[in-house]
């Protein structure tokens, strides 16, 4: 169970969907939609189990990735058509030549990404010379770099150990590293270490970690109606969750491998975006955040050159949703 990696099977030829806001006849060839372990993406599991893709006239093969990185690679190579992933990871993929567009804001991380430290490490400054694990090149690596920068440090001041997120959390609990960058639900694992505390979270960097539905440019050129159906399904799903909270939490907790009670603790740390918030974000806030992240990726040499932003944000799908 990992957060954020995407690829889409290029299986859909002419998935017929209705004009914005209306259902259509599902096509035989499915759209392959990837997602991984993150509270802002588990609603896709609800959509599948409640038949909401079909309601919106799109046939979807929902593919869950245990490794977020694998999902990113799948989208980048065109193995899947769409994926839920962060803005920062999307920019890194685009910088590497991937042809991708963002069509929806699922959520903003508002605390569910965390830097968790062992007993005795009380501040970010205390990380100097310590061993810190995170999944290299992904959002919690980015959060670590932001946090270190805020404390006047850099990655060179710590002993960075790249690991997959589940392995990093387990290594931290076992006392093999001094701190870990992780996202929910793996934060729950990391905090099982007695005396451990979060010394930095995504709540400290508002807007730094937006999460999105990202599609290949190939899918956009082949079947915009299918893309619209995916976006319509998302908002139908959020509405269904609001009206059926207990059942929805049960579905999402099961997919995340946690109890419903544990899942409820993630609620504050992930802010699901409404339709109005989506429309506002596409009017300029996302462009601004993308430029900031691009500059950061270049300055930290996570990418060789800034990614091209033309065609990255496509607002017409959220604009076309009928409330």
């Amino acid at each position: 169970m990992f957060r954020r990696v995407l690829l889409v099977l290029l299986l859909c030829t002419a998935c017929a969907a209705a004009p914005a806001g209306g259902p259509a006849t599902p096509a035989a060839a499915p759209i392959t939609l990837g997602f991984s372990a993150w509270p802002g993406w588990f609603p896709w599991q609800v959509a599948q189990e409640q038949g909401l893709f079909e309601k919106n006239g799109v046939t979807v093969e929902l593919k869950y990735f245990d490794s977020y990185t694998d999902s990113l690679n799948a989208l980048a190579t065109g193995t899947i058509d769409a994926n839920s992933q962060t803005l920062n990871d999307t920019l890194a993929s685009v910088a590497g030549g991937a042809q991708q567009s963002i069509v929806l804001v699922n959520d903003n991380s508002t605390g569910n990404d965390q830097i968790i430290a062992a007993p005795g490490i009380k501040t970010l400054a205390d990380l100097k010379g310590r061993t810190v694990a995170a999944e290299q090149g992904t959002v919690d690596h980015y959060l670590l770099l932001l946090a270190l920068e805020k404390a006047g440090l850099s990655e060179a001041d710590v002993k960075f150990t790249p690991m997959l997120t589940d392995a990093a959390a387990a290594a931290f609990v076992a006392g093999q590293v001094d701190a870990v960058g992780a996202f929910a639900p793996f934060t729950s694992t990391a905090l099982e270490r007695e005396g451990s505390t979060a010394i930095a979270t995504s709540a400290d960097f508002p807007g730094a970690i937006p999460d999105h539905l990202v599609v290949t440019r190939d899918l956009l050129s082949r079947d915009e109606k299918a893309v619209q159906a995916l976006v319509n399904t998302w908002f139908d799903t959020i509405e269904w969750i609001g009206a059926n909270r207990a059942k929805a939490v049960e579905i999402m907790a099961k997919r995340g491998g946690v109890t419903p009670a544990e899942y409820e603790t993630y609620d504050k740390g992930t802010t699901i975006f409404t339709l109005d918030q989506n429309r506002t974000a596409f009017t300029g806030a996302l462009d601004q955040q993308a430029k900031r992240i691009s500059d950061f990726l270049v300055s930290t040499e996570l990418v060789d050159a800034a990614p091209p932003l033309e065609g990255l944000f496509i607002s017409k799908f959220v604009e076309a949703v009928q409330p």
Side-chain angles (χ1 to χ4, degrees):
M1 302 184 314
F2 292 70
R3 180 188 174 194
R4 305 162 189 158
V5 177
L6 155 71
L7 261 193
V8 184
L9 279 172
L10 306 178
L11 295 175
C12 184
T13 54
C15 304
T25 303
I31 300 297
T32 305
L33 169 60
F35 75 121
S36 50
W38 173 246
W41 300 335
F42 288 137
W44 291 125
Q45 188 69 35
V46 176
Q48 181 185 53
E49 295 192 20
Q50 297 306 310
L52 298 177
F53 291 116
E54 292 84 354
K55 176 187 172 184
N56 282 283
V58 62
T59 301
V60 170
E61 179 186 334
L62 189 63
K63 183 174 177 60
Y64 182 79
F65 287 85
D66 288 326
S67 164
Y68 173 58
T69 302
D70 286 349
S71 75
L72 294 175
N73 292 337
L75 189 64
T77 59
T79 304
I80 60 177
D81 299 303
N83 193 49
S84 276
Q85 55 192 52
T86 66
L87 176 56
N88 121 249
D89 293 325
T90 303
L91 289 169
S93 292
V94 171
Q99 297 295 303
Q100 301 174 358
S101 292
I102 290 169
V103 298
L104 170 72
V105 183
N106 299 117
D107 67 271
N108 262 207
S109 177
T110 49
N112 276 339
D113 288 276
Q114 301 178 3
I115 306 301
I116 299 171
I121 301 176
K122 302 298 184 183
T123 68
L124 291 166
D126 293 337
L127 289 178
K128 188 171 183 178
R130 303 283 192 151
T131 302
V132 186
E135 192 162 350
Q136 187 168 24
T138 62
V139 68
D140 290 300
H141 186 194
Y142 174 56
L143 176 63
L144 172 64
L145 295 176
L146 286 176
L148 289 172
E149 183 181 57
K150 183 178 180 180
L153 302 174
S154 71
E155 190 173 297
D157 293 307
V158 301
K159 298 173 184 176
F160 179 69
T161 302
M163 294 183 182
L164 296 177
T165 304
D166 62 341
F172 176 73
V173 172
Q176 296 169 3
V177 297
D178 300 310
V180 63
F183 53 84
F186 300 109
T187 48
S188 295
T189 301
L191 289 168
E192 291 174 3
R193 180 169 175 173
E194 187 175 355
S196 61
T197 56
I199 58 173
T201 80
S202 50
D204 301 325
F205 304 93
I209 307 179
D211 299 311
H212 303 282
L213 173 62
V214 186
V215 301
T216 62
R217 302 277 174 90
D218 178 74
L219 178 61
L220 274 179
S221 65
R222 286 188 290 112
D223 203 340
E224 286 194 356
K225 289 183 179 180
V227 176
Q228 185 67 61
L230 292 177
V231 173
N232 291 347
T233 298
W234 175 261
F235 289 107
D236 283 353
T237 303
I238 299 308
E239 183 178 357
W240 191 93
I241 290 172
N244 303 274
R245 178 70 183 175
K247 179 61 177 176
V249 168
E250 180 183 335
I251 293 169
M252 295 186 290
K254 182 178 180 180
R255 176 69 275 181
V258 297
T259 67
E262 286 175 315
Y263 193 88
E264 290 283 15
T265 67
Y266 305 143
D267 195 51
K268 184 178 179 181
T270 301
T271 301
I272 299 293
F273 266 37
T274 65
L275 179 58
D276 285 344
Q277 287 173 317
N278 261 270
R279 290 171 174 171
T280 298
F282 276 98
T283 61
L286 288 176
D287 281 312
Q288 294 171 11
Q289 189 61 38
K291 290 172 183 175
R292 284 194 290 268
I293 293 173
S294 295
D295 290 344
F296 194 88
L297 292 174
V298 171
S299 68
T300 55
E301 299 183 342
L302 289 174
V303 300
D304 294 329
L309 301 184
E310 184 178 356
L312 179 64
F313 299 110
I314 309 295
S315 64
K316 64 182 177 181
F317 298 105
V318 295
E319 293 292 345
V321 173
Q322 299 298 314

